Amino acid sequence: MIHEPVCRFCRAPLRHTFVDLGMSPLCQRHLRPEQLSEMEPFYPLHAWVCSECFLVQIEEVVPPQEIFGDGSYAYFSSFADSWLRHAAQYVELVSERFGLGPKSLVVEVASNDGYLLQNFVRRGIPVLGIEPASNTAEAAVRKGVPTLVRFFGAATAMDVVEQHGRASLLLGNNVLAHVPDINDFVSGLAILLAPDGVLTMEFPHLMQLVEHNQFDTIYHEHFSYFSLLSVERIFGAHGLTVFDVDELTTHGGSLRIYAKHDTDNTHPVTAAFEELRARELAAGVNGLAYYASFSDRVKETKRRLLDFLIDARRRGKSVAGYGAPGKGNTLLNYCGIRTDFLDFTVDRNPYKHGRFTPGTHIPIYPPARLRDARPDYVVILPWNLRDEIMSQHSYIREWGGQFVIPIPELRVYR
Protein backbone atom coordinates (compact mmCIF):
# COMPACT_ATOMS: atom_id res chain seq x y z
CA MET A 1 0.00 0.00 0.00
CA ILE A 2 1.35 3.44 -0.99
CA HIS A 3 1.69 5.82 1.95
CA GLU A 4 -0.35 9.00 1.52
CA PRO A 5 0.56 11.83 3.89
CA VAL A 6 -2.15 14.03 5.39
CA CYS A 7 -2.20 17.68 6.43
CA ARG A 8 -1.19 18.20 10.05
CA PHE A 9 -3.90 20.84 10.49
CA CYS A 10 -6.97 19.86 8.49
CA ARG A 11 -6.10 16.16 7.83
CA ALA A 12 -6.76 16.42 4.08
CA PRO A 13 -4.59 14.17 1.87
CA LEU A 14 -1.34 15.83 0.70
CA ARG A 15 -1.01 15.32 -3.05
CA HIS A 16 0.73 18.46 -4.31
CA THR A 17 4.51 18.80 -4.06
CA PHE A 18 5.89 22.22 -3.17
CA VAL A 19 9.53 21.12 -3.54
CA ASP A 20 11.37 17.82 -3.10
CA LEU A 21 14.89 18.37 -1.74
CA GLY A 22 15.82 14.69 -1.67
CA MET A 23 17.41 13.07 1.39
CA SER A 24 19.10 15.06 4.14
CA PRO A 25 20.44 14.50 7.68
CA LEU A 26 19.23 16.48 10.70
CA CYS A 27 20.61 19.98 10.36
CA GLN A 28 21.93 20.51 13.89
CA ARG A 29 23.66 17.12 14.32
CA HIS A 30 27.22 18.30 13.83
CA LEU A 31 29.57 15.33 13.93
CA ARG A 32 32.57 14.75 16.17
CA PRO A 33 35.67 13.38 14.39
CA GLU A 34 35.12 9.85 15.73
CA GLN A 35 31.62 9.80 14.22
CA LEU A 36 32.73 10.39 10.64
CA SER A 37 33.12 6.68 9.91
CA GLU A 38 29.73 5.78 11.38
CA MET A 39 26.53 5.40 9.39
CA GLU A 40 24.63 8.67 9.35
CA PRO A 41 20.83 8.68 9.02
CA PHE A 42 19.28 10.63 6.16
CA TYR A 43 15.57 11.44 5.92
CA PRO A 44 13.27 12.61 3.11
CA LEU A 45 13.00 16.38 2.81
CA HIS A 46 9.83 16.69 0.76
CA ALA A 47 7.58 19.75 1.21
CA TRP A 48 3.89 19.59 0.30
CA VAL A 49 1.13 22.17 0.01
CA CYS A 50 -2.34 21.25 1.27
CA SER A 51 -5.02 21.77 -1.38
CA GLU A 52 -7.64 22.49 1.30
CA CYS A 53 -6.00 24.88 3.80
CA PHE A 54 -2.82 25.71 1.82
CA LEU A 55 -0.48 24.99 4.70
CA VAL A 56 3.00 24.19 3.34
CA GLN A 57 4.57 21.39 5.34
CA ILE A 58 6.86 18.40 5.50
CA GLU A 59 5.95 15.11 7.10
CA GLU A 60 7.09 14.29 10.61
CA VAL A 61 9.76 11.75 9.69
CA VAL A 62 11.81 12.39 12.83
CA PRO A 63 10.26 12.66 16.34
CA PRO A 64 10.85 16.08 17.96
CA GLN A 65 12.48 14.34 20.94
CA GLU A 66 15.21 13.11 18.60
CA ILE A 67 15.87 16.64 17.32
CA PHE A 68 15.59 18.77 20.44
CA GLY A 69 15.33 16.58 23.47
CA ASP A 70 18.67 14.87 24.08
CA GLY A 71 20.75 17.82 25.26
CA SER A 72 22.82 18.11 22.08
CA TYR A 73 20.80 20.72 20.18
CA ALA A 74 23.35 23.13 18.74
CA TYR A 75 21.39 26.33 18.08
CA PHE A 76 22.01 29.08 20.66
CA SER A 77 20.21 32.36 19.90
CA SER A 78 22.75 34.53 21.72
CA PHE A 79 25.49 34.08 19.11
CA ALA A 80 23.80 36.48 16.65
CA ASP A 81 24.27 40.12 17.68
CA SER A 82 21.49 41.36 15.40
CA TRP A 83 19.08 38.84 16.92
CA LEU A 84 19.91 40.04 20.44
CA ARG A 85 19.17 43.62 19.36
CA HIS A 86 15.91 42.45 17.80
CA ALA A 87 14.89 40.76 21.06
CA ALA A 88 15.71 43.82 23.18
CA GLN A 89 13.71 46.09 20.86
CA TYR A 90 10.74 43.71 21.04
CA VAL A 91 10.78 43.74 24.86
CA GLU A 92 10.79 47.54 24.94
CA LEU A 93 7.95 47.72 22.41
CA VAL A 94 5.55 45.24 24.04
CA SER A 95 6.32 46.37 27.61
CA GLU A 96 5.16 49.86 26.74
CA ARG A 97 2.32 48.93 24.38
CA PHE A 98 0.69 46.45 26.76
CA GLY A 99 1.66 48.02 30.08
CA LEU A 100 3.67 45.09 31.43
CA GLY A 101 5.00 45.37 34.97
CA PRO A 102 5.79 43.52 38.22
CA LYS A 103 2.29 42.00 38.38
CA SER A 104 2.45 40.62 34.83
CA LEU A 105 3.64 37.18 33.77
CA VAL A 106 5.56 36.79 30.53
CA VAL A 107 5.91 33.24 29.20
CA GLU A 108 8.05 32.35 26.21
CA VAL A 109 7.63 29.03 24.44
CA ALA A 110 10.92 27.73 23.04
CA SER A 111 12.88 30.25 25.08
CA ASN A 112 16.25 28.83 24.00
CA ASP A 113 19.16 30.25 26.03
CA GLY A 114 17.22 33.12 27.62
CA TYR A 115 18.29 35.58 24.90
CA LEU A 116 14.94 37.44 25.08
CA LEU A 117 13.48 36.86 28.54
CA GLN A 118 16.64 38.23 30.19
CA ASN A 119 15.47 41.67 29.04
CA PHE A 120 12.18 41.32 30.96
CA VAL A 121 14.10 40.11 34.02
CA ARG A 122 16.15 43.33 33.96
CA ARG A 123 12.88 45.29 33.97
CA GLY A 124 11.60 43.43 37.01
CA ILE A 125 8.85 41.65 35.07
CA PRO A 126 8.22 38.01 36.11
CA VAL A 127 9.02 35.48 33.40
CA LEU A 128 8.98 31.77 32.66
CA GLY A 129 10.75 30.05 29.80
CA ILE A 130 9.58 26.74 28.34
CA GLU A 131 12.34 25.00 26.40
CA PRO A 132 12.72 21.32 25.35
CA ALA A 133 16.50 21.35 24.81
CA SER A 134 18.17 20.90 28.19
CA ASN A 135 21.53 22.37 27.17
CA THR A 136 20.08 25.68 25.99
CA ALA A 137 17.72 25.74 29.00
CA GLU A 138 20.72 25.44 31.32
CA ALA A 139 22.29 28.47 29.64
CA ALA A 140 19.06 30.42 30.27
CA VAL A 141 18.99 29.51 33.96
CA ARG A 142 22.55 30.83 34.32
CA LYS A 143 21.21 34.18 33.06
CA GLY A 144 18.55 34.26 35.77
CA VAL A 145 15.73 33.07 33.54
CA PRO A 146 13.59 30.36 35.22
CA THR A 147 13.06 27.66 32.59
CA LEU A 148 10.85 24.58 32.40
CA VAL A 149 12.45 21.83 30.30
CA ARG A 150 9.47 20.41 28.43
CA PHE A 151 7.87 20.27 25.02
CA PHE A 152 4.88 22.58 24.79
CA GLY A 153 1.31 21.51 24.16
CA ALA A 154 -2.05 21.39 25.92
CA ALA A 155 -0.80 19.20 28.79
CA THR A 156 2.20 21.43 29.52
CA ALA A 157 -0.03 24.52 29.33
CA MET A 158 -2.41 23.13 31.96
CA ASP A 159 0.50 22.33 34.28
CA VAL A 160 1.94 25.82 33.90
CA VAL A 161 -1.44 27.43 34.59
CA GLU A 162 -1.78 25.36 37.77
CA GLN A 163 1.70 26.25 39.02
CA HIS A 164 2.20 29.80 37.73
CA GLY A 165 -1.13 31.17 36.49
CA ARG A 166 -1.99 32.44 33.02
CA ALA A 167 0.26 34.60 30.88
CA SER A 168 -0.28 38.32 30.42
CA LEU A 169 2.05 38.06 27.45
CA LEU A 170 2.66 34.73 25.76
CA LEU A 171 5.24 34.65 23.01
CA GLY A 172 7.17 32.35 20.73
CA ASN A 173 9.85 33.30 18.21
CA ASN A 174 10.56 30.84 15.42
CA VAL A 175 8.88 27.96 17.24
CA LEU A 176 5.59 27.64 15.33
CA ALA A 177 7.38 26.02 12.40
CA HIS A 178 9.00 23.47 14.73
CA VAL A 179 5.70 21.98 15.90
CA PRO A 180 4.53 18.65 14.42
CA ASP A 181 1.15 18.62 16.22
CA ILE A 182 0.02 22.14 15.41
CA ASN A 183 -3.48 21.68 16.85
CA ASP A 184 -2.20 20.50 20.23
CA PHE A 185 0.31 23.37 20.32
CA VAL A 186 -2.18 26.14 19.50
CA SER A 187 -4.77 24.72 21.87
CA GLY A 188 -2.06 24.93 24.54
CA LEU A 189 -1.51 28.59 23.70
CA ALA A 190 -5.23 29.25 24.18
CA ILE A 191 -5.16 27.49 27.57
CA LEU A 192 -2.13 29.40 28.85
CA LEU A 193 -3.13 32.88 27.64
CA ALA A 194 -4.93 35.05 30.22
CA PRO A 195 -8.48 36.15 29.25
CA ASP A 196 -7.20 39.68 28.51
CA GLY A 197 -3.68 38.58 27.55
CA VAL A 198 -1.81 39.06 24.29
CA LEU A 199 -0.03 36.39 22.28
CA THR A 200 2.77 37.16 19.81
CA MET A 201 4.42 34.71 17.45
CA GLU A 202 7.23 35.31 14.99
CA PHE A 203 7.88 33.02 12.06
CA PRO A 204 9.38 33.23 8.55
CA HIS A 205 6.79 34.49 6.08
CA LEU A 206 5.83 32.00 3.38
CA MET A 207 5.48 34.78 0.80
CA GLN A 208 9.13 35.72 1.35
CA LEU A 209 10.18 32.07 1.03
CA VAL A 210 8.34 31.75 -2.30
CA GLU A 211 9.20 35.14 -3.79
CA HIS A 212 12.88 35.09 -2.76
CA ASN A 213 13.62 31.42 -3.40
CA GLN A 214 14.50 30.66 0.25
CA PHE A 215 14.32 26.89 -0.12
CA ASP A 216 17.20 26.36 2.30
CA THR A 217 14.91 27.40 5.18
CA ILE A 218 13.18 24.04 4.64
CA TYR A 219 14.64 21.39 6.94
CA HIS A 220 13.43 18.64 9.26
CA GLU A 221 13.23 20.92 12.29
CA HIS A 222 10.73 23.09 10.38
CA PHE A 223 7.56 21.08 9.99
CA SER A 224 5.35 23.90 8.62
CA TYR A 225 5.72 27.14 6.58
CA PHE A 226 3.13 29.81 7.25
CA SER A 227 1.31 32.57 5.46
CA LEU A 228 -0.77 35.06 7.43
CA LEU A 229 -3.87 33.39 6.02
CA SER A 230 -2.88 29.92 7.20
CA VAL A 231 -2.02 31.16 10.71
CA GLU A 232 -5.30 33.06 10.92
CA ARG A 233 -7.15 29.87 9.98
CA ILE A 234 -5.28 27.67 12.46
CA PHE A 235 -5.55 30.09 15.38
CA GLY A 236 -9.21 30.74 14.64
CA ALA A 237 -9.95 27.02 14.96
CA HIS A 238 -8.78 27.26 18.59
CA GLY A 239 -10.63 30.39 19.66
CA LEU A 240 -7.85 32.89 18.97
CA THR A 241 -8.13 35.98 16.79
CA VAL A 242 -5.15 37.54 15.04
CA PHE A 243 -5.60 41.33 15.33
CA ASP A 244 -2.27 42.84 14.24
CA VAL A 245 0.89 41.98 12.32
CA ASP A 246 4.38 43.42 11.90
CA GLU A 247 6.44 42.62 8.81
CA LEU A 248 10.04 42.05 9.90
CA THR A 249 13.37 41.71 8.12
CA THR A 250 14.60 38.88 10.38
CA HIS A 251 15.35 35.44 8.90
CA GLY A 252 14.95 36.73 5.36
CA GLY A 253 11.50 38.20 6.04
CA SER A 254 9.25 37.23 8.94
CA LEU A 255 5.89 38.08 10.44
CA ARG A 256 5.11 38.92 14.04
CA ILE A 257 1.44 38.28 14.65
CA TYR A 258 -0.55 39.53 17.65
CA ALA A 259 -3.47 37.42 18.82
CA LYS A 260 -6.10 37.44 21.57
CA HIS A 261 -9.00 35.31 22.73
CA ASP A 262 -12.11 35.61 20.56
CA THR A 263 -13.96 36.88 23.64
CA ASP A 264 -11.54 39.78 24.22
CA ASN A 265 -12.85 43.02 22.69
CA THR A 266 -10.02 45.29 23.84
CA HIS A 267 -7.78 44.93 20.77
CA PRO A 268 -9.38 45.92 17.45
CA VAL A 269 -8.11 44.49 14.19
CA THR A 270 -5.54 46.85 12.67
CA ALA A 271 -5.13 48.26 9.18
CA ALA A 272 -1.75 46.53 8.92
CA PHE A 273 -3.41 43.13 9.36
CA GLU A 274 -6.14 43.89 6.82
CA GLU A 275 -3.61 45.18 4.27
CA LEU A 276 -1.32 42.14 4.42
CA ARG A 277 -4.28 39.78 4.37
CA ALA A 278 -5.56 41.46 1.20
CA ARG A 279 -2.09 41.33 -0.34
CA GLU A 280 -1.81 37.58 0.26
CA LEU A 281 -5.24 36.98 -1.25
CA ALA A 282 -4.32 39.07 -4.30
CA ALA A 283 -1.07 37.12 -4.73
CA GLY A 284 -3.02 33.85 -4.82
CA VAL A 285 -1.65 32.28 -1.63
CA ASN A 286 -4.95 30.40 -1.31
CA GLY A 287 -4.53 28.69 -4.68
CA LEU A 288 -2.25 25.92 -5.92
CA ALA A 289 -1.03 27.93 -8.92
CA TYR A 290 0.94 30.21 -6.57
CA TYR A 291 3.21 27.30 -5.60
CA ALA A 292 3.63 25.62 -8.99
CA SER A 293 6.89 27.17 -10.28
CA PHE A 294 8.88 27.10 -7.03
CA SER A 295 10.50 23.71 -7.58
CA ASP A 296 11.94 24.69 -10.98
CA ARG A 297 13.46 27.86 -9.52
CA VAL A 298 15.12 25.83 -6.78
CA LYS A 299 16.73 23.53 -9.34
CA GLU A 300 18.10 26.52 -11.25
CA THR A 301 19.62 27.96 -8.06
CA LYS A 302 21.45 24.68 -7.54
CA ARG A 303 22.82 24.73 -11.08
CA ARG A 304 24.09 28.30 -10.79
CA LEU A 305 25.80 27.72 -7.46
CA LEU A 306 27.53 24.57 -8.70
CA ASP A 307 28.56 26.34 -11.91
CA PHE A 308 30.21 29.07 -9.82
CA LEU A 309 32.02 26.64 -7.51
CA ILE A 310 33.22 24.42 -10.38
CA ASP A 311 34.57 27.46 -12.22
CA ALA A 312 36.28 28.81 -9.07
CA ARG A 313 37.98 25.49 -8.37
CA ARG A 314 39.13 25.09 -11.97
CA ARG A 315 40.71 28.55 -11.70
CA GLY A 316 42.60 27.37 -8.62
CA LYS A 317 40.64 29.53 -6.19
CA SER A 318 40.15 28.60 -2.53
CA VAL A 319 36.62 28.65 -1.11
CA ALA A 320 35.51 28.62 2.54
CA GLY A 321 32.16 28.98 4.23
CA TYR A 322 30.90 31.25 6.96
CA GLY A 323 28.46 29.68 9.40
CA ALA A 324 27.07 26.22 10.03
CA PRO A 325 23.35 27.03 10.30
CA GLY A 326 20.36 24.80 9.65
CA LYS A 327 19.72 26.47 6.30
CA GLY A 328 23.33 25.81 5.33
CA ASN A 329 22.83 22.10 5.87
CA THR A 330 19.90 22.03 3.45
CA LEU A 331 21.82 23.99 0.83
CA LEU A 332 25.01 21.90 1.11
CA ASN A 333 23.26 18.54 1.05
CA TYR A 334 20.79 19.39 -1.70
CA CYS A 335 23.57 20.76 -3.91
CA GLY A 336 26.07 18.00 -3.00
CA ILE A 337 28.69 20.48 -1.78
CA ARG A 338 31.47 18.84 0.23
CA THR A 339 35.17 19.52 0.76
CA ASP A 340 35.76 19.20 -2.97
CA PHE A 341 34.10 22.62 -3.21
CA LEU A 342 34.26 24.08 0.31
CA ASP A 343 37.55 23.67 2.20
CA PHE A 344 36.01 24.43 5.59
CA THR A 345 33.47 26.68 7.28
CA VAL A 346 33.64 28.81 10.43
CA ASP A 347 31.11 29.61 13.12
CA ARG A 348 30.95 31.76 16.27
CA ASN A 349 29.29 29.00 18.28
CA PRO A 350 32.08 27.16 20.19
CA TYR A 351 29.83 24.07 20.47
CA LYS A 352 30.42 23.47 16.74
CA HIS A 353 34.20 23.97 16.71
CA GLY A 354 36.13 20.82 15.85
CA ARG A 355 32.99 19.19 14.49
CA PHE A 356 31.78 18.56 10.94
CA THR A 357 28.67 19.56 9.05
CA PRO A 358 25.94 16.89 8.86
CA GLY A 359 26.04 14.78 5.74
CA THR A 360 28.67 16.79 3.90
CA HIS A 361 31.40 16.47 6.59
CA ILE A 362 32.91 19.92 6.11
CA PRO A 363 35.14 20.86 9.10
CA ILE A 364 33.95 23.72 11.32
CA TYR A 365 36.47 26.12 12.87
CA PRO A 366 36.40 29.40 14.83
CA PRO A 367 36.21 32.56 12.65
CA ALA A 368 39.93 33.26 13.20
CA ARG A 369 40.63 30.45 10.72
CA LEU A 370 39.67 32.82 7.91
CA ARG A 371 42.66 35.08 8.63
CA ASP A 372 45.00 32.08 8.62
CA ALA A 373 43.66 30.53 5.41
CA ARG A 374 42.96 33.76 3.46
CA PRO A 375 40.39 32.18 1.12
CA ASP A 376 39.57 33.78 -2.21
CA TYR A 377 35.84 33.34 -1.64
CA VAL A 378 33.74 33.09 1.54
CA VAL A 379 30.24 31.67 1.02
CA ILE A 380 27.89 33.12 3.65
CA LEU A 381 25.54 30.29 4.56
CA PRO A 382 23.35 32.29 7.02
CA TRP A 383 22.59 34.78 4.23
CA ASN A 384 19.96 36.49 6.40
CA LEU A 385 22.88 37.84 8.50
CA ARG A 386 24.81 38.97 5.41
CA ASP A 387 25.29 42.61 6.42
CA GLU A 388 26.34 41.75 9.98
CA ILE A 389 28.85 39.12 8.84
CA MET A 390 30.33 41.23 6.04
CA SER A 391 30.79 44.13 8.45
CA GLN A 392 32.38 42.00 11.19
CA HIS A 393 34.77 40.35 8.72
CA SER A 394 35.51 43.20 6.31
CA TYR A 395 39.22 42.36 6.72
CA ILE A 396 38.67 39.54 4.20
CA ARG A 397 38.87 42.18 1.48
CA GLU A 398 42.44 43.02 2.59
CA TRP A 399 43.82 40.06 0.62
CA GLY A 400 41.28 40.38 -2.19
CA GLY A 401 38.81 37.94 -0.70
CA GLN A 402 35.19 38.15 -1.82
CA PHE A 403 31.88 37.28 -0.17
CA VAL A 404 29.41 35.01 -1.94
CA ILE A 405 25.67 35.02 -1.19
CA PRO A 406 23.85 31.95 -2.60
CA ILE A 407 20.23 32.95 -1.81
CA PRO A 408 17.93 34.34 -3.22
CA GLU A 409 20.26 34.36 -6.21
CA LEU A 410 24.01 33.97 -6.50
CA ARG A 411 25.81 37.24 -5.87
CA VAL A 412 29.50 38.04 -5.32
CA TYR A 413 30.50 41.05 -3.19
CA ARG A 414 33.99 42.33 -3.96
Side-chain angles (χ1 to χ4, degrees), residues 18 54-56 83 173-177 201-218 222 224-232 245-257 272-286 290-291 294 297 327 383-384:
F18 178 53
F54 302 99
L55 177 64
V56 173
W83 187 242
N173 288 348
N174 301 303
V175 59
L176 203 59
M201 287 273 145
E202 294 183 21
F203 49 87
H205 190 192
L206 177 69
M207 283 188 73
Q208 298 295 324
L209 188 158
V210 173
E211 293 176 13
H212 298 289
N213 199 29
Q214 297 169 354
F215 70 90
D216 57 343
T217 60
I218 298 172
H222 287 174
S224 304
Y225 305 82
F226 298 98
S227 63
L228 179 64
L229 293 170
S230 63
V231 165
E232 180 189 25
V245 63
D246 296 329
E247 294 183 73
L248 309 171
T249 59
T250 54
H251 295 284
S254 298
L255 298 182
R256 177 192 294 140
I257 57 110
F273 171 83
E274 297 286 11
E275 190 276 330
L276 179 55
R277 191 177 191 280
R279 203 188 324 150
E280 287 195 350
L281 287 170
V285 169
N286 273 0
Y290 178 77
Y291 307 91
F294 185 73
R297 288 192 284 125
K327 56 170 57 75
W383 45 260
N384 54 300

Side-chain angles (χ1 to χ4, degrees), residues 195-396:
D196 59 350
V198 172
L199 162 68
T200 73
M201 287 273 145
E202 294 183 21
F203 49 87
H205 190 192
L206 177 69
M207 283 188 73
Q208 298 295 324
L209 188 158
V210 173
E211 293 176 13
H212 298 289
N213 199 29
Q214 297 169 354
F215 70 90
D216 57 343
T217 60
I218 298 172
Y219 40 90
H220 299 106
E221 287 82 345
H222 287 174
F223 296 105
S224 304
Y225 305 82
F226 298 98
S227 63
L228 179 64
L229 293 170
S230 63
V231 165
E232 180 189 25
R233 187 178 293 115
I234 293 167
F235 278 46
H238 296 279
L240 297 169
T241 296
V242 179
F243 66 87
D244 194 8
V245 63
D246 296 329
E247 294 183 73
L248 309 171
T249 59
T250 54
H251 295 284
S254 298
L255 298 182
R256 177 192 294 140
I257 57 110
Y258 299 77
K260 61 180 181 177
H261 285 290
D262 289 349
T263 52
D264 179 4
N265 298 317
T266 60
H267 301 289
V269 173
T270 66
F273 171 83
E274 297 286 11
E275 190 276 330
L276 179 55
R277 191 177 191 280
R279 203 188 324 150
E280 287 195 350
L281 287 170
V285 169
N286 273 0
L288 291 174
Y290 178 77
Y291 307 91
S293 65
F294 185 73
S295 183
D296 286 339
R297 288 192 284 125
V298 169
K299 293 172 185 174
E300 181 58 23
T301 298
K302 175 178 180 175
R303 296 183 192 111
R304 289 180 179 177
L305 179 56
L306 289 175
D307 282 347
F308 169 82
L309 292 172
I310 290 169
D311 176 68
R313 287 307 207 183
R314 283 180 173 160
R315 290 186 289 116
K317 301 297 184 180
S318 56
V319 186
Y322 188 98
K327 56 170 57 75
N329 183 61
T330 294
L331 181 74
L332 296 173
N333 278 281
Y334 173 65
C335 295
I337 296 170
R338 296 176 175 79
T339 51
D340 49 350
F341 289 125
L342 214 61
D343 296 327
F344 62 89
T345 191
V346 301
D347 198 279
R348 289 181 64 186
N349 186 346
Y351 175 88
K352 301 177 184 179
H353 298 165
R355 298 193 179 219
F356 295 78
T357 57
T360 51
H361 297 183
I362 296 168
I364 306 168
Y365 299 110
R369 180 77 174 209
L370 292 173
R371 286 188 182 274
D372 298 333
R374 301 168 66 92
D376 297 303
Y377 295 104
V378 176
V379 180
I380 298 180
L381 297 173
W383 45 260
N384 54 300
L385 301 176
R386 175 193 67 197
D387 293 340
E388 176 181 332
I389 292 168
M390 290 172 62
S391 175
Q392 290 173 345
H393 302 278
S394 59
Y395 60 83
I396 288 171

